[in-house]
Amino acid sequence: MQTQKVIDHIVNWLKDYATKANSKGFVVGVSGGIDSAVVSVLVAKTGLPVLVLEMPIRQKADQVDRAQDHIDFLKSNFSNVEGFRVDLTPTFESFEKTTEGYKDDSPSKNLAEANTRSRLRMVTLYYYGQINGLLVTGTGNKVEDFGVGFFTKYGDGGVDISPIADLYKTQIYEIAKELGILESIQVAKPTDGLWEVERTDEDQIGATYPELEWAMEQQQAGKTEADFDGREKEVMTIYLRFNRATQHKMNPIPVCEIPTELK
């Protein structure tokens, strides 16, 4: 990958899109992870106003520290960046209390609450974005958004633009290195930060990002589980299971078209 040229291309694309959309700039949620760190630097490099928000919900201390350190890094390097914390823990706990007692034994309850965290952050980003005339900027990468659907529908998947969604996670690490992203963020294990206990992306999916990227390329080449053995077969099975189950996230919302003669 021609890393610097890719960076320049994304920055120019962002600036051009914002200009054509009559937007003042960008708002990004930063989590202490690699994707949001890279995206926030890319939008900052446009020179347009940028608002970065850390939105903790009972967050792990190391995630909070990395997010705050990154906001400090942005502010010290870009005069067009404003950033602060919006603590959503009280909001989430109020929601928990409101829904308490409804199917508490449901096997889907923990996942529903995890997704609620992401959706509260989406609402917050759009609130500050609308007030300031900013585009809500997505931080999803290619394998998450179009491979295994590893994002929350109308949560972190609810955005105006997606500047890194055509890049693999491994490519984003290359960009992070080129941009001088803090080492603590570059070496941190990827996590969505939506759970009470530490659950990395690999823990949840069962495969690493390089493995998933390989599987995505095999699928695009027309391969299936039957074409492989051992760990490769296992990875393909994992990838295809997620891919099939999350098509509702990747495809447009189905619209029931009414025949003309019935209207």
Side-chain angles (χ1 to χ4, degrees):
M1 182 176 70
Q2 300 180 63
T3 308
Q4 187 56 55
K5 288 186 177 180
V6 169
I7 291 170
D8 294 341
H9 177 81
I10 295 173
V11 171
N12 290 333
W13 178 83
L14 284 163
K15 190 171 185 178
D16 183 62
Y17 187 93
T19 300
K20 290 179 179 177
N22 295 316
S23 173
K24 295 178 181 177
F26 311 91
V27 58
V28 185
V30 293
S31 63
I34 195 76
D35 294 333
S36 64
V38 165
V39 168
S40 57
V41 173
L42 291 172
V43 294
K45 287 175 73 67
T46 66
L48 298 174
V50 172
L51 175 61
V52 290
L53 302 178
E54 185 219 350
M55 298 170 285
I57 301 175
R58 296 204 292 249
Q59 227 62 37
K60 301 298 180 185
D62 63 317
Q63 297 171 18
V64 171
D65 290 344
R66 289 198 303 272
Q68 285 298 314
D69 288 345
H70 181 66
I71 290 175
D72 292 341
F73 167 83
L74 287 167
K75 288 181 176 180
S76 65
N77 284 279
F78 299 96
S79 60
N80 55 317
V81 172
E82 178 187 8
F84 53 86
R85 171 182 295 185
V86 181
D87 189 355
L88 294 177
T89 299
T91 305
F92 176 71
E93 291 180 343
S94 176
F95 181 85
E96 272 188 317
K97 186 175 181 180
T98 301
T99 58
E100 187 178 12
Y102 181 75
K103 295 189 176 180
D104 287 337
D105 59 347
S106 170
S108 300
K109 184 176 178 64
N110 287 339
L111 179 58
E113 289 186 342
N115 284 328
T116 296
R117 295 184 187 212
S118 183
R119 290 173 179 135
L120 286 174
R121 290 176 178 136
M122 179 274 292
V123 170
T124 303
L125 287 169
Y126 271 98
Y127 175 81
Y128 283 95
Q130 187 164 15
I131 286 176
N132 294 287
L134 306 173
L135 293 166
V136 175
T137 310
T139 61
N141 59 65
K142 186 173 184 176
V143 76
E144 288 176 340
D145 284 4
F146 303 110
V148 292
F150 194 64
F151 61 90
T152 297
K153 198 173 185 179
Y154 305 119
D156 52 327
V159 299
D160 293 320
I161 51 172
S162 294
I164 61 171
D166 195 34
L167 292 171
Y168 286 129
K169 190 84 163 185
T170 49
Q171 293 174 311
I172 292 166
Y173 277 104
E174 291 182 44
I175 290 176
K177 185 176 181 180
E178 184 75 15
L179 293 175
I181 298 296
L182 297 173
E183 185 69 15
S184 60
I185 293 176
Q186 292 193 51
V187 301
K189 290 184 178 180
T191 178
D192 58 15
L194 299 178
W195 303 89
E196 294 295 320
V197 297
E198 186 66 52
R199 297 181 65 183
T200 67
D201 294 353
E202 185 177 348
D203 290 335
Q204 296 187 63
I205 299 172
T208 66
Y209 278 103
E211 286 178 325
L212 295 171
E213 292 167 13
W214 169 83
M216 190 173 187
E217 291 173 347
Q218 300 311 308
Q219 182 198 37
Q220 292 169 349
K223 303 288 187 179
T224 68
E225 304 102 310
D227 295 301
F228 304 98
D229 296 305
R231 178 58 180 170
E232 289 185 340
K233 183 182 183 72
E234 184 181 2
V235 170
M236 278 300 294
T237 299
I238 291 169
Y239 173 84
L240 291 172
R241 184 176 72 247
F242 274 92
N243 181 264
R244 291 163 183 156
T246 58
Q247 286 298 311
H248 68 98
K249 296 183 181 182
M250 306 176 205
N251 295 325
I253 298 171
V255 174
C256 177
E257 296 185 4
I258 309 300
T260 303
E261 64 270 19
L262 298 182
K263 294 181 178 178

